[in-house]
Amino acid sequence: MFEALGNRLQGVFDRLRGRGALSEDDVNDALREVRIALLEADVALPVVKDITAKVRERAVGQEVIRSIQPGQQVVKIVHDALVEALGGNDEGPRGLDLNAPAPVPILMVGLQGSGKTTTSGKIALRLRGKERKKVLLASLDVHRPAAQLQLEQLAKRAEVASLPIVAGQTPLQIAERAMDQARRELFDVVVLDTAGRLAIDEALMAEVAAVKAAVKPHETLLVVDAMTGQDAVNTARAFNEKVGVSGIVMTRVDGDARGGAALSMRAVTGAPIKLLGAGEKLDALEEFHPDRIAGRILGMGDIVSLVERA
Amino acid sequence: SRSTAKLTDSITGVFTKRKLDDAALEELEETLIAADLGVKASGRVVEGFRRTRFGREATDAEIKGALADEIAAILGPVAKPLVIDRALKPHVVLVVGVNGTGKTTTIAKLAEQYRADGMKVIMCAGDTFRAAAVEQLQVWGSRTGAEVVAPAKDGADAAGLAFDALSRARDVGADVLLVDTAGRLHNKTALMEELRKIVRVMKRQDAAVPHSVLLVLDATTGQNAVSQLRVFSEMVEVSGLVVTKLDGSAKGGVVVALAEEFGTPIHAVGVGETAADLRPFEARHFARALVGLE
Ligand SMILES: Nc1nc2c(ncn2[C@@H]2O[C@H](COP(=O)(O)OP(=O)(O)OP(=O)(O)O)[C@@H](O)[C@H]2O)c(=O)[nH]1
Ligand SMILES: Nc1nc2c(ncn2[C@@H]2O[C@H](COP(=O)(O)OP(=O)(O)OP(=O)(O)O)[C@@H](O)[C@H]2O)c(=O)[nH]1
Ligand SMILES: [Mg+2]
Ligand SMILES: [Mg+2]
């Protein structure tokens, strides 16, 4: 169903082989295909408009490199624009920022079912292993049936501590108890998992904002599903405005969704995409590489390296 | 919601006392794209609009109403409730989908509804994989009063459990057996094979089961829903859809594309996290919400 942008553009430029520079008409035809490709990849419409405007600017008047197809040349321009919009390739360290006095609180937020609890377990496993941190997992989810038990079981699998479950406490009380215990027992990091909530749920958004104000997390991670559609912009905007987001984790990149939501989320919040969830198991946590996600959004193989070599 | 407000603004801005010209139709198309209909379905709907109304003057409300009618005409044929056949004892409903869409919660909602209709309901905790998935369904069992068949230990074989649950449901004369399954991505061959195994093993007892296979779709999902429905249908013959999380700002417009491409019935929508939050899928209502009318 989805056609790689390269193939789409091939048709547009077939008639153009052998000419000198890309004219405005050539570029307009190409941009129509770019727009469709981005929308099919679930990039939000306003973000698509920004990107096509940028591409137009850069593509008009470009000399056609003789050894490659003009289609590939435009793909390269689009690809570069996406990489840039995703934070660029040389932005420095992209992982979690733990540079704060211990215990460092990390707050996990997002819509229902996006993967917050699983990602909490993954982060705990990574910090305990690679970074030799003493991690405490605490579930503030008093909402979903067996949510606290779910995190407790994940903590066991990750071989990290979890905050004892006490029935009847509010999320704020649980957060404070977690920080108390972490200070007393000299934990390095406390991951605070929260219940899923809709961005338009004023009461629940206020609840998590109150937790944030009390705990002052060093990282507030918005966990989003790679399959998210156009609503990504609304979700990202609401969480960023009402809670404040320091980084994004995109889950389910092990699926076949193009993942255009990454662009939408980044554009709206300005927050970096810090990690990717690539499976249900606790070790399925990956670094984010803008060029890989850009290529995935465009559904293309090695066109970029092809152009680079030309 | 925010997106509704934006949508209304854009239509008001463009259409109040204005002719339906190319620019106006383009705005309309963008409205549909922003509701996740996808480029193709949005284009088709707007083309239909162009044929019948191009050049006319119309008010904001007329436009939105007519656009909703156009979409409701596509969705009407797929708006079909899930009818439980009480003669089957049990009517077996297998619930499938990618991770986190709301399968387990939807099962609880169905159980609640069927129990209220006076049926005997059994739920099978067939997600033996995810942490605390069994316990999650057990909580729903005690809230809805439906019996839960659960595995004796972690990581038990889901197919074997479904087989046992079917025996149990037949023994006690249950009206409905709701089988929960672990979330799985449709592109994972091994996991999809495991799902087929659940079906195969249950069929050893009764070749007619499962009588219904529900694919649960999350309304926030974009164009990937097309690939989800295609693959799940190929693997386990999906008989109907439930669209969850429609209480949020996402409109779930991709189901318009699904209706055009597959014609799979849409049974119900989820509008919240409690057992009472399930509604019949109603084409006109859904279409009007999609264009920001309600
Ligand atoms: N395939 C895949 N599944 C994932 C990934 N991350 C999480 N999941 C699955 O997604 C489902 C939901 O994950 P949870 O961690 O429970 O999501 P949540 O955001 O905590 O959900 P709520 O607390 O109900 O809002 C589970 O089935 C997880 O196994 C991922 O990166 N890939
Ligand atoms: N707002 C809202 N939340 C819902 C709805 N349906 C389910 N949820 C929430 O979505 C999250 C995931 O629901 P589950 O029922 O656990 O989803 P699942 O498909 O069984 O997940 P896995 O078994 O992990 O694949 C939970 O937090 C539910 O409360 C709905 O209609 N509206
Ligand atoms: Mg959770
Ligand atoms: Mg489940």
Side-chain angles (χ1 to χ4, degrees):
Chain A
M1 174 196 42
F2 297 121
E3 210 186 332
L5 180 62
N7 299 338
R8 289 182 170 287
L9 291 176
Q10 190 75 54
V12 174
F13 287 112
D14 265 350
R15 56 188 165 76
L16 187 127
R17 215 164 298 167
R19 255 196 279 159
L22 295 178
S23 76
E24 184 131 22
D25 277 352
D26 299 334
V27 171
N28 282 340
D29 287 350
L31 283 177
R32 234 189 320 274
E33 298 299 329
V34 171
R35 174 179 180 273
I36 294 173
L38 293 177
L39 287 171
E40 281 189 342
D42 291 321
V43 181
L45 192 57
V47 181
V48 171
K49 287 184 175 174
D50 286 350
I51 289 170
T52 46
K54 216 169 271 165
V55 171
R56 175 192 308 278
E57 217 171 88
R58 293 180 193 175
V60 174
Q62 271 231 355
E63 277 300 310
V64 175
I65 302 171
R66 218 179 306 280
S67 58
I68 56 164
Q69 306 275 341
Q72 292 167 354
Q73 212 169 323
V74 173
V75 169
K76 169 88 166 95
I77 296 170
V78 176
H79 184 271
D80 288 350
L82 294 193
V83 170
E84 218 170 88
L86 286 166
N89 266 335
D90 40 25
E91 199 186 45
R94 244 178 239 104
L96 297 176
D97 174 8
L98 299 176
N99 200 358
V104 182
I106 300 177
L107 184 66
M108 311 293 289
V109 300
L111 297 179
Q112 284 93 349
S114 61
K116 297 172 293 299
T117 306
T118 309
T119 305
S120 301
K122 290 176 179 178
I123 287 175
L125 177 68
R126 158 159 318 193
L127 294 182
R128 177 186 67 80
K130 256 190 208 155
E131 315 210 6
R132 306 249 166 267
K133 302 280 189 196
K134 188 177 170 193
V135 184
L136 178 65
L137 281 174
S139 170
L140 280 52
D141 187 350
V142 296
H143 212 62
R144 166 172 169 173
Q148 296 183 308
L149 193 61
Q150 182 188 0
L151 191 69
E152 188 180 273
Q153 292 186 4
L154 292 176
K156 284 207 184 85
R157 287 185 202 171
E159 295 177 42
V160 302
S162 65
L163 186 74
I165 297 171
V166 176
Q169 284 199 316
T170 65
L172 189 57
Q173 288 169 330
I174 299 171
E176 281 167 347
R177 183 160 57 88
M179 294 312 294
D180 279 346
Q181 176 170 339
R183 275 186 288 265
R184 252 191 347 262
E185 298 177 12
L186 304 179
F187 279 88
D188 299 310
V189 179
V190 184
V191 180
L192 302 165
D193 180 26
T194 65
R197 63 201 73 224
L198 296 170
I200 57 169
D201 188 328
E202 300 288 343
L204 283 185
M205 290 300 273
E207 177 201 90
V208 74
V211 168
K212 176 160 179 171
V215 174
K216 299 189 179 54
H218 195 60
E219 289 269 27
T220 302
L221 301 179
L222 177 62
V223 181
V224 299
D225 181 339
M227 301 181 276
T228 309
Q230 297 283 320
D231 197 54
V233 278
N234 299 323
T235 301
R237 189 177 298 121
F239 274 95
N240 200 36
E241 278 171 8
K242 291 176 188 159
V243 189
V245 170
S246 67
I248 294 164
V249 181
M250 194 162 81
T251 62
R252 302 195 191 115
V253 298
D254 47 328
D256 62 358
R258 287 276 173 88
L263 269 175
S264 315
M265 298 266 173
R266 163 89 208 204
V268 167
T269 62
I273 298 157
K274 297 212 158 179
L275 294 163
L276 302 177
E280 298 179 64
K281 302 224 172 79
L282 290 186
D283 58 359
L285 190 66
E286 294 180 356
E287 307 305 321
F288 170 72
H289 297 283
D291 49 347
R292 287 191 204 158
I293 296 292
R296 178 189 180 113
I297 289 172
L298 297 176
M300 56 191 225
D302 56 1
I303 279 172
V304 173
S305 54
L306 202 116
V307 176
E308 235 114 61
R309 273 185 267 119
Chain B
S1 74
R2 190 181 293 275
S3 66
T4 309
K6 218 171 80 198
L7 192 132
T8 311
D9 292 349
S10 74
I11 292 189
T12 311
V14 174
F15 293 113
T16 306
K17 295 168 198 154
R18 222 188 105 177
K19 220 177 223 164
L20 260 173
D21 55 11
D22 279 324
L25 287 173
E26 192 184 319
E27 289 265 343
L28 219 48
E29 186 178 355
E30 294 192 341
T31 299
L32 299 181
I33 286 172
D36 282 322
L37 267 82
V39 183
K40 286 189 191 128
S42 301
R44 275 193 296 268
V45 170
V46 169
E47 262 327 292
F49 226 65
R50 179 192 298 279
R51 275 200 305 277
T52 50
R53 295 166 205 275
F54 192 78
R56 292 202 206 166
E57 298 262 351
T59 69
D60 176 33
E62 281 167 355
I63 300 274
K64 284 190 284 184
L67 190 62
D69 289 347
E70 193 98 10
I71 294 166
I74 298 168
L75 294 175
V78 299
K80 293 177 192 151
L82 173 62
V83 181
I84 295 298
D85 183 351
R86 293 185 71 164
L88 293 171
K89 293 230 184 295
H91 184 133
V92 178
V93 182
L94 181 70
V95 179
V96 304
V98 300
N99 309 82
T101 53
K103 294 173 291 300
T104 306
T105 311
T106 298
I107 283 177
K109 292 172 181 177
L110 290 171
E112 173 94 347
Q113 190 179 309
Y114 299 146
R115 297 247 320 145
D117 291 343
M119 293 185 223
K120 186 172 175 59
V121 181
I122 293 190
M123 312 196 279
C124 171
D127 182 355
T128 55
F129 181 78
R130 209 206 63 215
V134 170
E135 290 87 345
Q136 182 187 4
L137 193 68
Q138 278 169 330
V139 172
W140 284 119
S142 63
R143 285 188 194 168
T144 59
E147 180 185 331
V148 177
V149 175
K153 56 172 180 17
D154 274 2
D157 174 42
L161 185 73
F163 185 90
D164 293 347
L166 179 55
S167 306
R168 169 79 188 157
R170 293 169 76 165
D171 288 349
V172 302
D175 297 293
V176 191
L177 171 63
L178 300 165
V179 182
D180 195 10
T181 62
R184 69 199 75 221
L185 293 173
H186 49 286
N187 60 328
K188 301 207 162 169
T189 321
L191 297 181
M192 294 306 280
E193 275 308 321
E194 272 177 31
L195 190 58
R196 282 158 71 98
K197 183 177 163 200
I198 294 176
V199 172
R200 217 166 40 237
V201 169
M202 277 200 294
K203 278 191 192 299
R204 282 184 202 151
Q205 215 169 136
D206 177 356
V209 306
H211 306 98
S212 305
V213 178
L214 300 188
L215 177 67
V216 178
L217 281 180
D218 184 329
T220 47
T221 304
Q223 300 309 302
N224 191 249
V226 177
S227 140
Q228 290 174 29
L229 179 53
R230 176 178 302 116
V231 178
F232 272 100
S233 291
E234 278 166 18
M235 297 308 262
V236 290
E237 294 180 70
V238 172
S239 62
L241 302 173
V242 175
V243 184
T244 61
K245 308 182 195 177
L246 273 169
D247 44 331
S249 49
K251 296 279 192 278
V254 71
V255 303
V256 177
L258 298 182
E260 287 188 318
E261 190 168 342
F262 303 96
T264 312
I266 307 174
H267 296 313
V269 299
V271 292
E273 299 186 76
T274 77
D277 293 323
L278 193 70
R279 306 274 178 276
F281 177 76
E282 215 267 287
R284 189 178 134 84
H285 178 75
F286 186 92
R288 289 174 68 81
L290 208 66
V291 301
L293 274 173
E294 36 197 81

